Amino acid sequence: DIQMTQSPSSLSASIGDRVTITCQASQDIADFLNWYQQKPGKAPELLIFAASKLETGVPSRFSGSGSGTDFTLTIRGLQPDDVATYYCQHYDNLPLTFGGGTNVEIK
Amino acid sequence: QLQQSGPGLVKPSQTLSLTCAISGESVSSDSAAWHWIRQSPSRGLEWLGRTYYRSQWFNDYAVSVRSRIIFNTDTSKNQVSLQLKSVTPEDTAVYYCARWESYGEYFEQWGQGTRVIVSS
């Protein structure tokens, strides 16, 4: 199974800050990586697919980059509505696996 | 839209049964696959498996539950269901069904989640 390692597990940042979350795959997954946002009590929602493609309706302050084993989710200009847990997920093969999540809070 | 139903409390050794009713699309759609995922503090988001139709029905299951899990499809009701047998407290989690968009390759839509507690 491909292991997905996210860091940090949690962070606290100020409104307007740039926030960076990293995700590392245990083997090369090309760009077969998605990012999701999950708010408390809700199901995850897609933010980024194929490592860098923004899902329709997602604010442009979100962006994704990377390929191979190292990936990044960036939030440029953190907003109160961005308080959530963020997960990466690979789809290179089965089983699909998720990172452990990054909890983003406002300082 | 995916609407989940099923009990929130299951006794140890019994069978957990959940249903995911699909609206707005045929369960037999060739552009979708229907996955089950669970989430718990100890295991995080854990993929359980998928079912999809490509001229016939296919199922794939996670190794961790393969001996205990079954997916069924009811095309007349346009729904998929999950049965997990011989549950233990470790199966306590929020269970989700989710639609996998086969062309874009991502989870496009999720059910609302069902919190299942395994306890006597």
Side-chain angles (χ1 to χ4, degrees):
Chain A
D1 297 3
I2 298 174
Q3 307 304 314
M4 306 301 294
T5 303
Q6 276 183 248
S7 62
S9 58
S10 65
L11 66 89
S12 182
S14 299
I15 298 297
D17 279 357
R18 173 176 167 160
V19 169
T20 299
I21 298 168
T22 65
C23 178
Q24 186 171 58
S26 60
Q27 65 187 65
D28 190 332
I29 59 169
D31 64 350
F32 298 148
L33 183 103
N34 300 323
W35 288 97
Y36 300 86
Q37 177 193 65
Q38 185 178 32
K39 296 184 176 179
K42 300 293 187 181
E45 293 186 357
L46 179 68
L47 292 175
I48 302 285
F49 62 98
S52 61
K53 298 177 181 177
L54 193 67
E55 167 69 341
T56 302
V58 173
S60 59
R61 63 180 179 272
F62 291 93
S63 65
S65 64
S67 67
T69 60
D70 296 303
F71 302 86
T72 300
L73 175 69
T74 300
I75 309 173
R76 289 183 172 80
L78 186 69
Q79 298 300 306
D81 190 52
D82 302 337
V83 171
T85 303
Y86 295 84
Y87 294 94
C88 60
Q89 172 248 319
H90 89 84
Y91 54 99
D92 184 60
N93 56 20
L94 295 181
L96 306 181
T97 56
F98 295 81
T102 297
N103 185 41
V104 174
E105 297 179 339
I106 301 294
K107 193 181 295 183
Chain B
Q1 188 177 0
L2 306 178
Q3 183 67 38
Q4 297 179 221
S5 60
L9 180 64
V10 182
K11 289 182 168 52
S13 81
Q14 293 191 343
T15 297
L16 182 166
S17 298
L18 298 174
T19 298
C20 178
I22 300 157
S23 57
E25 182 178 21
S26 170
V27 68
S28 306
S29 168
D30 63 2
S31 65
W34 311 98
H35 294 238
W36 289 94
I37 297 154
R38 66 184 178 183
Q39 184 173 30
S40 64
S42 59
R43 294 172 179 255
L45 285 162
E46 180 185 13
W47 179 81
L48 298 177
R50 67 179 180 180
T51 187
Y52 61 98
Y53 184 79
R54 301 290 185 269
S55 302
Q56 65 182 62
W57 286 100
F58 295 90
N59 294 316
D60 294 293
Y61 300 117
V63 169
S64 62
V65 294
R66 185 170 293 162
S67 63
R68 302 190 289 131
I69 197 168
I70 295 175
F71 295 152
N72 289 302
T73 304
D74 187 332
T75 55
S76 66
K77 295 181 179 180
N78 210 46
Q79 64 187 30
V80 295
S81 62
L82 169 155
Q83 286 189 317
L84 185 64
K85 303 176 182 178
S86 305
V87 296
T88 72
E90 287 196 352
D91 294 311
T92 293
V94 177
Y95 287 74
Y96 293 100
C97 61
R99 181 190 185 276
W100 180 262
E101 165 55 46
S102 298
Y103 296 121
E105 298 193 280
Y106 46 75
F107 288 117
E108 182 183 40
Q109 199 167 29
W110 298 63
Q112 80 276 23
T114 301
R115 182 173 299 276
V116 177
I117 297 172
V118 179
S119 175
S120 54

